[in-house]
Amino acid sequence: MAENTVTVTVACGTAKHAIALAGKDGAEPVLKDLSETLAEMTGVPIPSQKIIFKGKSLREMDSALSSFGIKQGCKLMMIGKRNSPEEEAELKKLKDIEKSLELTAKKLEKVDGELTGLRNGFLAKDLQAEALSRLDQRVKAAAEQFMKILEQMDAMSFPENFNDCKMKRKGLVKTVQDFLAQCDRIEAGISDHLAKIQSKNLALAD
């Protein structure tokens, strides 16, 4: 067994789960690793979990299990309620939206990288204006996609008790807004670089 792997037993109702946890990148496992594994095994979402060890409720997700005194073979308890099938279905829709968001974000990241390349002179000056125009179109397409994602989430309505869905959507909306702000910054960068090229060309023409 790897040095940073810990096996614990977690009681959930009448069921008992033996869980082997390995920390990420060689680090020792943290409470979040245990919580994520329990969510997969039991279907109880992380915000609804209450993990108890020696009568204490554990909350610090980024703390190492050893900091709570948890070691090989320890027994814990988890209390929590699974989401209803209806809420799980809505969460799945949000996860699909999240995947679409990640794909669009990757396209935007590529545009940002190409713009940096142009600024650093990785393309002949006479070809830069056309390249910038294409980048501008790609940024606008990404911004349009982000707006569609926002509209898609805005159209979703959840019952009062669908707290996980509400939290998930709130986080995704904030992420989309950040990406839209990034679109604005990149567009401004494209305009700025284009203006510099045009002023240089005018100076050369004079």
Side-chain angles (χ1 to χ4, degrees):
M1 188 174 287
E3 189 185 337
N4 286 332
T5 302
V6 179
T7 301
V8 295
T9 302
V10 183
C12 308
T14 55
K16 285 186 180 177
H17 303 279
I19 301 172
L21 294 162
K24 292 179 176 69
D25 301 323
E28 59 178 301
V30 297
L31 183 59
K32 189 179 180 184
D33 297 322
L34 175 60
S35 192
E36 285 174 350
T37 305
L38 281 169
E40 285 172 26
M41 292 178 93
T42 65
V44 177
I46 292 170
S48 304
Q49 293 176 12
K50 189 175 184 183
I51 299 170
I52 299 164
F53 178 60
K54 291 186 175 176
K56 285 185 180 175
S57 179
L58 312 181
R59 292 190 179 86
E60 295 82 10
M61 282 292 174
D62 294 323
S63 295
L65 293 180
S66 60
S67 70
F68 303 108
I70 298 168
K71 49 186 186 285
Q72 185 66 21
C74 277
K75 292 176 182 173
L76 299 90
M77 185 165 75
M78 191 268 281
I79 301 167
K81 188 165 68 72
R82 293 178 67 167
N83 285 327
S84 64
E86 292 81 10
E87 185 166 7
E88 280 301 321
E90 291 300 316
L91 275 170
K92 188 184 179 308
K93 286 180 195 171
L94 285 168
K95 279 170 189 166
D96 289 342
I97 287 172
E98 189 172 26
K99 281 178 192 166
S100 166
L101 175 58
E102 283 166 4
L103 286 172
T104 308
K106 277 179 185 168
K107 289 178 186 172
L108 188 64
E109 202 176 305
K110 208 172 171 189
V111 171
D112 204 7
E114 287 176 33
L115 177 59
T116 303
L118 285 175
R119 280 175 167 158
N120 292 334
F122 292 162
L123 190 67
K125 291 278 187 287
D126 55 338
L127 300 174
Q128 286 201 8
E130 191 185 335
L132 285 165
S133 173
R134 283 201 298 270
L135 287 183
D136 193 51
Q137 285 168 6
R138 282 160 62 192
V139 176
K140 284 182 166 68
E144 200 174 309
Q145 188 58 38
F146 287 135
M147 288 304 295
K148 279 181 184 168
I149 289 171
L150 271 184
E151 285 164 14
Q152 212 177 333
M153 288 193 287
D154 196 46
M156 296 173 85
S157 60
F158 305 125
E160 194 62 38
N161 60 333
F162 279 23
N163 292 324
D164 280 357
C165 285
K166 288 177 182 174
M167 278 174 66
K168 182 82 174 166
R169 178 169 63 181
K170 190 178 178 182
L172 286 175
V173 165
K174 171 78 172 69
T175 304
V176 174
Q177 286 168 341
D178 288 345
F179 281 130
L180 280 168
Q182 193 181 345
C183 284
D184 288 343
R185 282 196 301 275
I186 294 171
E187 279 204 70
I190 290 169
S191 300
D192 182 51
H193 194 59
L194 194 56
K196 280 178 185 169
I197 291 169
Q198 286 167 346
S199 65
K200 276 181 187 173
N201 287 348
L202 284 170
L204 288 170
D206 290 345

